[in-house]
């Protein structure tokens, strides 16, 4: 039980204000600690999904302004499982745009319940949130202007590279510098489409992003033939849905849904839909076969954790 603060004749207005703030923070912390997201969803019939506007094809806006994508489809399967578990007539789904720089804060302050964008499974993420079993493996690659044909992963030194704020690519570029390559200059943008715009406008020599994003943005450009992928891969990351640290029950349900989708072949079919077939808003299919590492995760859900 919280102790009452007695007003002292020696207590200044500032000290009294600080006491009130401390009491409020204690109550707020206890309230959040006891807040069960699944129970709240069951009670309100409402869930808020964090989505990206331009992480094609994981989560993005189509031409009608509706959020769609591979990860959003998986999130909606989880919503259906919640609805079934609590025997709800319906669940109202609300989407809130997030990006790599804002997603943790929006989860933590309860603006969103699930982050359905592109979330790397690594030590840094696991210190701030819970992640479901990985549902995607992304290669981080570099794209440049076609006339910059001599550029390679090994000679990025001295170049200006465009990055999405919060991207794991930055760590790889800095690792290259530590291993003897010349340091690169980093220029950041808010989202994938903004990052690619740095390249099309000539503000950077190249951009580093997940391969699907690079291929999608190139396909949407005025002249896709002007841009080429540089040989080599900066890094390979497992990607997953993300939850608040306190939401173990929601994470467990998500893993049940994901494991079932992988074992029945539903996840492979969903991958084919978004990565091999024509999708809304793009003039052509991305044409990215299932990576071998993702096939291994389909056979052994959650096995990405052994490498963390």
């Amino acid at each position: 039980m919280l102790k009452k603060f007695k007003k002292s004749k020696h207590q200044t207005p500032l000290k009294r204000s600080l006491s009130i703030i401390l009491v409020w923070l204690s109550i707020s912390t206890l309230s959040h600690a006891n807040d069960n997201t699944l129970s709240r969803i069951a009670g309100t019939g409402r869930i808020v999904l964090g989505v990206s506007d331009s992480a094609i094809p994981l989560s993005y806006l189509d031409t009608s302004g509706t959020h769609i994508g591979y990860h959003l489809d998986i999130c909606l399967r989880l919503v259906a499982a919640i609805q079934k578990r609590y025997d709800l007539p319906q669940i109202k789904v609300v989407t809130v745009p997030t990006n790599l720089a804002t997603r943790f804060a929006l989860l933590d302050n309860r603006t969103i319940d699930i982050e359905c964008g592109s979330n790397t499974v690594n030590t840094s993420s696991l210190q701030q949130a819970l992640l479901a079993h990985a549902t995607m493996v992304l290669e981080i690659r570099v794209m440049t202007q076609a006339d910059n044909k001599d550029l390679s992963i090994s000679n990025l030194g001295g170049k200006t590279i465009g990055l999405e704020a919060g991207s794991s690519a930055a760590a790889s570029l800095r690792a290259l510098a530590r291993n003897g390559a010349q340091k690169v200059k980093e220029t950041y943008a808010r989202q994938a489409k903004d990052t690619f715009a740095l390249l099309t406008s000539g503000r950077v020599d190249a951009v580093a992003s997940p391969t699907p994003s690079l291929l999608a943005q190139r396909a949407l450009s005025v002249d896709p033939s002007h841009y080429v992928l540089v040989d080599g891969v900066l890094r390979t990351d497992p990607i997953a849905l993300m939850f608040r640290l306190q939401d173990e029950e929601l994470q467990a349900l998500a893993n049940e849904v994901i494991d079932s989708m992988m074992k029945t072949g539903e996840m492979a079919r969903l991958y084919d839909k978004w990565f091999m077939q024509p999708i809304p808003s793009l003039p052509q299919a991305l044409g990215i076969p299932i990576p071998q590492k993702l096939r291994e995760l389909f056979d052994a859900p959650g096995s990405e954790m052994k490498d963390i």
Side-chain angles (χ1 to χ4, degrees):
M1 182 175 292
L2 295 172
K3 295 181 179 179
K4 293 182 180 180
F5 285 88
K6 294 181 180 180
K7 183 176 177 180
S8 168
K9 62 180 180 180
H10 301 296
Q11 194 176 35
T12 66
L14 176 58
K15 288 184 177 179
R16 286 196 296 272
S17 297
L18 288 174
S19 297
I20 293 170
I21 291 171
L22 287 172
V23 172
W24 180 87
L25 286 174
S26 298
I27 294 172
S28 178
T29 300
L30 287 170
S31 175
H32 282 182
N34 295 325
D35 179 21
N36 182 290
T37 299
L38 275 177
S39 297
R40 177 163 45 80
I41 294 168
T44 62
R46 179 179 182 271
I47 190 170
V48 184
L49 306 180
V51 292
S52 172
D53 287 347
S54 63
I56 302 172
L58 295 181
S59 170
Y60 68 103
L61 283 171
D62 65 11
T63 53
S64 71
T66 301
H67 285 99
I68 58 174
Y70 173 73
H71 257 186
L72 190 57
D73 278 358
I74 298 171
C75 272
L76 292 176
R77 283 282 282 105
L78 175 54
V79 173
I82 296 171
Q83 182 177 349
K84 181 178 180 181
R85 170 177 284 196
Y86 292 99
D87 194 24
L88 301 174
Q90 65 177 9
I91 293 180
K92 180 180 180 181
V93 177
V94 179
T95 56
V96 171
T98 64
N99 57 53
L100 296 180
T102 64
R103 57 203 166 127
F104 290 110
L106 293 176
L107 260 182
D108 190 54
N109 67 17
R110 287 162 170 69
T111 298
I112 61 174
D113 297 314
I114 308 172
E115 164 50 31
C116 304
S118 180
N119 307 296
T120 302
V121 181
N122 57 24
T123 302
S124 176
S125 295
L126 291 168
Q127 290 172 345
Q128 303 175 74
L130 297 176
L131 289 106
H133 291 163
T135 45
M136 183 59 197
V137 173
L138 290 178
E139 290 184 342
I140 308 299
R141 297 189 62 183
V142 174
M143 184 170 280
T144 187
Q145 301 274 1
D147 56 7
N148 201 4
K149 58 183 179 181
D150 294 329
L151 192 66
S152 69
I153 295 293
S154 61
N155 67 1
L156 293 176
K159 303 297 184 181
T160 302
I161 309 298
L163 301 162
E164 186 175 353
S167 167
S168 62
S172 295
L173 291 173
R174 292 164 193 164
L176 287 175
R178 288 193 298 271
N179 292 334
Q182 188 177 344
K183 184 178 180 180
V184 304
K185 180 180 178 182
E186 301 166 6
T187 298
Y188 289 92
R190 191 172 65 90
Q191 295 189 85
K193 62 181 179 181
D194 306 317
T195 304
F196 198 81
L198 295 174
L199 180 62
T200 60
S201 65
R203 292 179 56 195
V204 298
D205 298 301
V207 291
S209 290
T211 303
S213 178
L214 292 173
L215 296 180
Q217 295 303 324
R218 180 174 68 176
L220 292 170
S221 67
V222 175
D223 188 349
S225 66
H226 282 182
Y227 310 100
V228 295
L229 284 169
V230 169
D231 288 340
V233 176
L234 272 178
R235 63 185 293 140
T236 301
D237 291 326
I239 306 297
L241 307 184
M242 193 162 69
F243 316 92
R244 281 183 283 278
L245 283 171
Q246 302 86 356
D247 279 336
E248 292 93 347
E249 188 179 358
L250 180 55
Q251 178 199 37
L253 180 58
N255 285 340
E256 288 179 19
V257 171
I258 289 166
D259 293 0
S260 175
M261 293 177 71
M262 289 180 173
K263 291 174 182 176
T264 62
E266 183 181 356
M267 194 73 77
R269 292 190 293 273
L270 197 62
Y271 182 98
D272 183 79
K273 169 187 172 182
W274 288 103
F275 291 88
M276 295 299 294
Q277 305 302 321
I279 58 176
S281 303
L282 283 190
Q284 61 191 45
L286 290 171
I288 304 174
I290 296 180
Q292 179 57 33
K293 288 187 177 181
L294 184 57
R295 288 188 183 277
E296 293 170 3
L297 292 182
F298 285 180
D299 292 335
S303 58
E304 71 280 355
M305 294 304 297
K306 71 179 186 295
D307 298 321
I308 304 301

